[in-house]
Structure formats: C-alpha cells, structure tokens
Amino acid sequence: MSVGLVIVSHSSKIAEGTVELARQMAPDVALVAAGGTDEDGIGTSFEKVSAALAEADSGDGVVVLCDLGSAVLTTETALDFLDDDARSRVILAEAPIVEGAVAAAVAAATGGDVTGVAEAASHAGGANPAAADTASPPSDEAAGQAASDSESRTIRLINRDGLHARPAAEFVKKASGYDARVNVNGVDAKSLLGIMSLGLVQGADVTLTADGPEARKAVSELSELIESGFGES
C-alpha cells in the first residue's frame, strides 16, 4: 500500500490527463481523478470528490490537489463529511496541479508518508530545485568522515530522448532506496523535478556524487542504470 492521490479539477479531461501523466511515473500508486460536474460539464462535484477520496484511501493517507478555488471549497466540504479517522489521513496540498501530481506520485511510489508526499507536491511550485545547496559547510571532522564514505563517477547519457520523465522517475525511485546522499550534476537525485530541470539530453555527461554508508553501492548501481539506457537505447 502507499499514499493515494486525488486530482480535483473543473475539467474531467484535465483531471484524467493529470492522472494519466502521473501514472506513467508511478503505476502502482492509487491515482484518482475527480473532474467536472456530475454531468461531466465544467465545474466540480461533491459526489465525485467524495467517491475519489474513498477510492484512493488504502489506509496510508490521501493527498488532494485542486486546480481552482471552488475546487478547494468542494473538497473541503467533502472532507467535512468524513469521519475523524479518515479525515486525519487526508492532506489538501497547495501545489500546481500537474507538477505537484507528478512529484507527489513519485514520492508516494518511493514510500513517502502522507506528510512527505504533500510536501513533495508543494515544493513542486517553489524555488528552483536545481539551485545550489546553501547549507553550512561541514566541520572538519564531518568532512573527513564524509570523504571516507564518498564516491563519484561521470557517465555519458545514451538515451535517444535524454533523461525525460519516465527514465527520470525510474532513476529517482532507485536513488531513494540508498542510505546515502546522492547528487546528479549537483542536484538532489531524489528530486524528480530537480533532475528533469537539468535538461539532460543524449550525449550529456552525468556526474554522480554520493556520500554515506551506501555511497559506493549507489553510484555503482545508478551508473549501471544510466549505462543501460533505461531500456530505451
């Protein structure tokens, strides 16, 4: 089981299209569209949202993304009708609906809890994920320890279409499984939007750096994944 996602839109086509896109990144996550009125006109439906919340909730929680203000109002009304236990598992995220859905779906697929999945969605509309790390430099002792558990390698990207959405999602899922901090060309390897923002095309050099107990394993296995062409080359 994993956190489920509900996409609430005034348009059934927008909701269904967003679900279709996010499902390409996370096929095993419960993604439910609640778009349009009961007659599939432009608007929102209390009944559709209520049914979607029930369908998406496997017990691990639900994150809801909405397109416009009245969609939020409809969702909040539906939430008011849930019992306390079910309501406690639902978070209404403030996020761009498409980018947020993709980021949240990948976070759910990699085992994030409902709070983490909601944060992934919200961060999709925030600062540039490719921005440089502004954290304070480590102490000499910490730096020495990191150096002993660090690994780096540069690989040539062979995918014909570059590191587009599907292989990027596959990469992020794998990178999230290591006990190590992994970066790709300076960007957090666990950030789907960060990876995609790099615009890596066929022939680009991909530099993996990692530190932590599984740094060597992470760099080795992620390098193999890149060199395999993600099954697309």
Side-chain angles (χ1 to χ4, degrees), residues 174-200:
K174 191 170 185 66
S176 298
Y178 299 107
D179 184 11
R181 178 178 177 179
V182 185
N183 285 338
V184 179
N185 292 9
V187 171
D188 182 3
K190 299 177 183 179
S191 168
L192 176 63
L193 296 181
I195 297 298
M196 293 179 65
S197 74
L198 292 172
L200 296 172

Side-chain angles (χ1 to χ4, degrees), residues 17-229:
T18 301
V19 164
E20 181 181 12
L21 176 61
R23 189 166 284 142
Q24 295 297 311
M25 322 297 171
D28 297 326
V29 172
L31 292 148
V32 186
T37 64
D38 292 335
E39 295 77 27
D40 286 331
I42 298 298
T44 56
S45 162
F46 170 84
E47 286 75 16
K48 283 188 175 182
V49 174
S50 296
L53 290 169
E55 182 179 347
D57 188 6
S58 65
D60 289 332
V62 177
V63 172
V64 185
L65 292 94
C66 301
D67 61 354
L68 297 172
S70 55
V72 174
L73 293 176
T74 301
T75 300
E76 289 177 338
T77 301
L79 293 178
D80 287 341
F81 279 80
L82 297 178
D83 61 49
D84 291 343
D85 180 55
R87 177 64 185 89
S88 69
R89 296 194 298 271
V90 181
I91 295 179
L92 180 54
E94 294 185 12
I97 192 168
V98 177
E99 296 92 334
V102 170
V106 172
T110 56
D113 62 15
V114 67
T115 300
V117 172
E119 289 177 350
S122 298
H123 291 165
N128 180 6
D133 188 355
T134 58
S136 300
S139 65
D140 291 342
E141 180 180 355
Q145 178 62 37
S148 66
D149 293 329
S150 63
E151 189 79 8
S152 178
R153 188 179 305 177
T154 298
I155 314 99
R156 184 66 53 85
L157 188 64
I158 64 174
N159 295 57
R160 183 189 63 186
D161 297 322
L163 202 58
H164 60 90
R166 190 201 64 78
E170 183 178 351
F171 183 90
V172 168
K173 290 177 188 177
K174 191 170 185 66
S176 298
Y178 299 107
D179 184 11
R181 178 178 177 179
V182 185
N183 285 338
V184 179
N185 292 9
V187 171
D188 182 3
K190 299 177 183 179
S191 168
L192 176 63
L193 296 181
I195 297 298
M196 293 179 65
S197 74
L198 292 172
L200 296 172
V201 298
Q202 185 181 43
D205 286 335
V206 180
T207 299
L208 300 177
T209 58
D211 60 78
E214 293 189 315
R216 181 170 297 180
K217 179 181 180 182
V219 169
S220 175
E221 294 184 355
L222 290 170
S223 296
E224 290 177 1
L225 179 62
I226 294 171
E227 290 169 341
S228 75

